[in-house]
């Protein structure tokens, strides 16, 4: 078992289904073709052997009868006429040999013995050499010796064009196998790609529902599943929006009543709790809606002017937000979604670092990179991915006491994915956090 495991380690079986099917079908067809060729080749040899023995039997019987009836002085003239490619006749005792015959020689001897009249005593000997040549010795009616020298011909050679035909057959087998496997695997690959990129919020092309019955049924089922998912997501947003709308009125009334009450520590706590509930409702609906970023139509904007406008809005309210770098590039994106992304990131930086720095640059692949930097406490390395999940809060500085809902970064992450971007968090050398937004490369 260890040896088998070692062989599998060094010679692994192909991992892709297409390659496996291709090899299995190709090897099966090649083996079948090889068996067919071998059977035909053996049958051809057996047929040639049978024809030769039948001809030998009839010809020997006739030749011996002719030579026996001819006068002794005329027999030599007939030897050339009776000679064939694989045997000839000699007037004499022939070449000394051995009595032991090969399998082929025994078959020829049996055929000659059956052809010769019983009154002729016949003896067979194998001539030393290649082991195929043999001689049959008999005595004619007048007492003269006669020898039949048999030298079987080698097997019929293959035609010179046969290797080329076999090569063409192999190429045809490979092409037909590849085409058949491709036709069988392509719908499965399309289905896997569609499942891997499944996003009910994007108007991705639907799977083609044509082709074989099984393929069309699978594509129809997948399209129906995607429609159901999109419907469930839309229904979720509508439910949350309805809940938010229904909660706004009682929350507003409760806040109003609380503010009309007498000043006390309990009043202040109640007002804070109501404000917290209101923020949670707003952020919850915002997160649900962020999954439907495609509701906004894309438009062309100048990213430099867009970020400058956003930074100026913060500076007008006295916030320490600074912008560095220019890339002088226009992009096609969803402006409101992009503004919400950077608003959440900048608010996050101001909340935990007091200041926010924004840089504009391009990476080596030509994608636009916008970084929001702060000098806050940062995030533990093992939780940089977890903070992008909804309602996740760190236990230390970024907790409920700061007024956060645990949805700011999650909303930014959802909206970034909706505009085909990427959000990456990393700790800043010297302390703080870097939130980098990678926008897709724009077509020229």
């Amino acid at each position: 078992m260890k040896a088998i495991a070692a062989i599998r380690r060094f010679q692994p079986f192909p991992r892709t289904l297409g390659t496996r099917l291709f090899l299995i079908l190709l090897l099966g067809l090649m083996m079948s073709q090889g068996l067919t060729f071998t059977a035909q080749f053996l049958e051809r040899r057996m047929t040639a052997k049978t024809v030769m023995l039948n001809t030998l039997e009839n010809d020997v019987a006739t030749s011996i009868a002719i030579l026996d009836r001819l006068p002794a002085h005329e027999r030599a003239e007939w030897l050339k006429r009776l000679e064939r490619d694989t045997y000839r006749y000699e007037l004499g005792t022939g070449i000394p040999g051995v009595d032991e015959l090969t399998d082929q020689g025994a078959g020829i001897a049996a055929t000659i013995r059956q052809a010769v009249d019983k009154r002729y005593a016949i003896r067979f000997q194998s001539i030393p050499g290649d082991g195929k040549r043999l001689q049959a010795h008999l005595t004619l009616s007048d007492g003269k010796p006669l020898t039949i020298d048999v030298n079987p011909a080698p097997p019929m050679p293959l035609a010179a064009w046969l290797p080329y035909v076999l090569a063409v057959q192999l190429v045809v087998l490979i092409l037909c196998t590849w085409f058949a496997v491709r036709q069988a695997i392509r719908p499965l690959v399309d289905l896997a790609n569609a499942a891997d990129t499944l996003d009910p919020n994007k108007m991705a092309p639907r799977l083609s529902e044509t082709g074989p019955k099984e393929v069309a049924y699978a594509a129809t089922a997948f399209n129906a599943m995607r429609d159901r998912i999109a419907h469930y997501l839309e229904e979720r947003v509508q439910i949350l929006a309805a809940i938010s709308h229904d909660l706004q009125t009682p929350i507003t009334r409760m806040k109003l009543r609380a503010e009309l009450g007498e000043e006390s520590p309990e009043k202040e706590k109640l007002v804070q709790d109501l404000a917290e509930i209101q923020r949670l409702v707003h952020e919850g609906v915002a997160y649900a809606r962020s999954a439907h970023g495609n509701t906004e139509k894309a438009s062309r904007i100048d990213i430099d002017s867009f970020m400058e406008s956003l930074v100026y809005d913060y500076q007008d309210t006295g916030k320490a937000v600074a912008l560095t770098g220019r890339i002088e590039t226009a992009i096609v994106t969803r402006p409101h979604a992009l503004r919400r992304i950077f608003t959440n990131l900048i608010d996050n930086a101001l909340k935990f670092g007091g200041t926010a720095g924004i840089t504009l640059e391009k990476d080596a692949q030509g994608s636009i990179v916008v970084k929001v930097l702060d000098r806050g406490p940062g995030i533990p390395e093992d939780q940089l991915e977890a903070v992008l999940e909804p309602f996740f809060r760190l236990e230390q500085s970024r907790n409920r006491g700061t007024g956060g809902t645990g949805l700011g970064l999650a909303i930014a992450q959802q909206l970034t994915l909706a505009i085909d971007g990427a959000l990456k968090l990393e700790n800043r050398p010297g302390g703080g956090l870097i939130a980098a937004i990678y926008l897709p490369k724009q077509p020229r």
Side-chain angles (χ1 to χ4, degrees):
M1 294 298 292
K2 292 183 178 178
I4 295 176
I7 292 175
R8 287 179 177 176
R9 267 199 312 272
F10 290 104
Q11 297 179 347
F13 196 70
R15 297 180 62 86
T16 62
L17 178 60
T19 306
R20 292 183 181 184
L21 288 177
F22 176 80
L23 291 178
I24 291 172
L25 291 175
L26 181 61
L27 289 176
L29 291 173
M30 289 178 63
M31 290 175 63
S32 176
Q33 187 74 5
L35 290 174
T36 302
F37 175 78
T38 302
Q40 290 179 342
F41 181 76
L42 293 177
E43 193 273 339
R44 180 188 180 202
R45 291 191 61 182
M46 292 176 62
T47 302
K49 182 179 178 181
T50 301
V51 171
M52 183 196 75
L53 293 177
N54 290 336
T55 304
L56 177 65
E57 181 179 358
N58 297 329
D59 202 18
V60 166
T62 304
S63 298
I64 292 177
I66 292 174
L67 291 174
D68 194 31
R69 285 172 172 76
L70 285 172
H73 65 276
E74 294 182 9
R75 290 172 181 166
E77 299 177 3
W78 280 81
L79 295 181
K80 200 66 177 176
R81 301 177 187 177
L82 300 176
E83 182 179 335
R84 300 292 183 265
D85 292 337
T86 57
Y87 56 91
R88 63 189 181 87
Y89 299 90
E90 296 180 6
L91 298 174
T93 57
I95 302 174
V98 296
D99 294 333
E100 185 177 356
L101 301 178
T102 63
D103 293 339
Q104 183 181 16
I108 296 175
T111 301
I112 295 176
R113 182 173 280 111
Q114 186 175 358
V116 176
D117 195 294
K118 301 295 183 182
R119 60 193 177 89
Y120 297 108
I122 190 166
R123 179 172 56 89
F124 296 93
Q125 285 188 324
S126 178
I127 304 302
D130 58 6
K132 296 180 179 179
R133 185 180 178 188
L134 76 152
Q135 290 185 345
H137 306 282
L138 57 94
T139 303
L140 299 177
S141 300
D142 59 358
K144 299 295 184 179
L146 178 66
T147 299
I148 306 174
D149 190 350
V150 182
N151 189 12
M156 297 177 65
L158 296 176
W161 46 263
L162 186 58
Y164 299 100
V165 172
L166 294 177
V168 171
Q169 287 180 336
L170 179 60
V171 173
V172 172
L173 285 177
I174 292 175
L175 292 178
C176 291
T177 304
W178 171 81
F179 182 75
V181 171
R182 183 174 179 271
Q183 290 295 106
I185 296 299
R186 185 170 59 180
L188 184 60
V189 174
D190 294 341
L191 181 61
N193 292 334
D196 187 52
T197 59
L198 177 62
D199 188 352
N201 301 309
K202 295 182 179 180
M203 297 301 294
R206 298 169 66 86
L207 278 179
S208 174
E209 298 179 3
T210 59
K213 181 178 179 181
E214 296 80 3
V215 174
Y217 178 75
T220 302
F222 181 86
N223 290 333
M225 179 191 70
R226 188 176 70 171
D227 293 340
R228 287 195 299 269
I229 293 175
H231 174 72
Y232 294 152
L233 291 176
E234 184 177 358
E235 190 177 60
R236 182 186 68 173
V237 174
Q238 292 176 351
I239 292 173
L240 287 175
I243 293 174
S244 173
H245 180 270
D246 292 342
L247 287 177
Q248 289 297 324
T249 301
I251 291 175
T252 302
R253 287 200 302 263
M254 293 171 66
K255 287 180 66 176
L256 180 60
R257 291 170 182 170
E259 290 173 354
L260 292 177
E262 297 181 358
E263 296 294 334
S264 65
E266 287 75 14
K267 172 187 173 181
E268 184 178 352
K269 292 179 181 180
L270 180 58
V271 172
Q272 291 178 353
D273 287 342
L274 291 173
E276 177 70 14
I277 294 174
Q278 197 168 34
R279 278 196 299 270
L280 283 172
V281 171
H282 287 164
E283 292 296 323
V285 174
Y287 175 75
R289 286 176 175 168
S290 67
H292 292 262
N294 62 340
T295 55
E296 178 190 357
K297 291 185 178 180
S299 61
R300 191 176 185 86
I301 63 171
D302 182 275
I303 188 64
D304 293 319
S305 301
F306 180 85
M307 295 306 300
E308 287 174 357
S309 173
L310 182 62
V311 170
Y312 289 157
D313 290 342
Y314 276 97
Q315 291 175 347
D316 287 344
T317 60
K319 303 294 179 61
V321 180
L323 174 66
T324 59
R326 290 183 63 85
I327 55 176
E328 298 180 354
T329 300
I331 63 172
V332 177
T333 186
R334 302 184 181 106
H336 293 297
L338 193 64
R339 177 175 289 273
R340 181 61 186 269
I341 293 170
F342 289 116
T343 298
N344 283 15
L345 295 179
I346 294 172
D347 289 345
N348 204 60
L350 292 174
K351 184 184 299 181
F352 302 110
T355 61
I358 302 173
T359 63
L360 291 173
E361 58 189 51
K362 283 187 177 182
D363 62 9
Q365 287 72 37
S367 298
I368 299 172
V369 184
V370 184
K371 296 182 178 179
V372 179
L373 308 91
D374 65 54
R375 284 298 182 184
I379 298 174
E381 293 291 337
D382 59 345
Q383 296 182 333
L384 285 173
E385 295 291 335
V387 295
L388 299 177
E389 299 296 327
F391 301 106
F392 181 88
R393 299 185 183 89
L394 295 174
E395 293 298 329
Q396 297 177 0
S397 63
R398 299 176 189 239
N399 56 25
R400 194 181 186 91
T402 63
T405 61
L407 288 173
L409 291 176
I411 293 173
Q413 167 76 343
Q414 284 279 9
L415 290 175
T416 302
L417 294 176
I419 63 173
D420 296 325
L423 169 60
K424 182 180 179 182
L425 301 179
E426 59 179 305
N427 286 308
R428 190 178 181 186
L433 185 71
I434 301 176
I437 297 293
Y438 294 82
L439 299 175
K441 185 177 180 180
Q442 300 294 313
R444 294 183 178 180

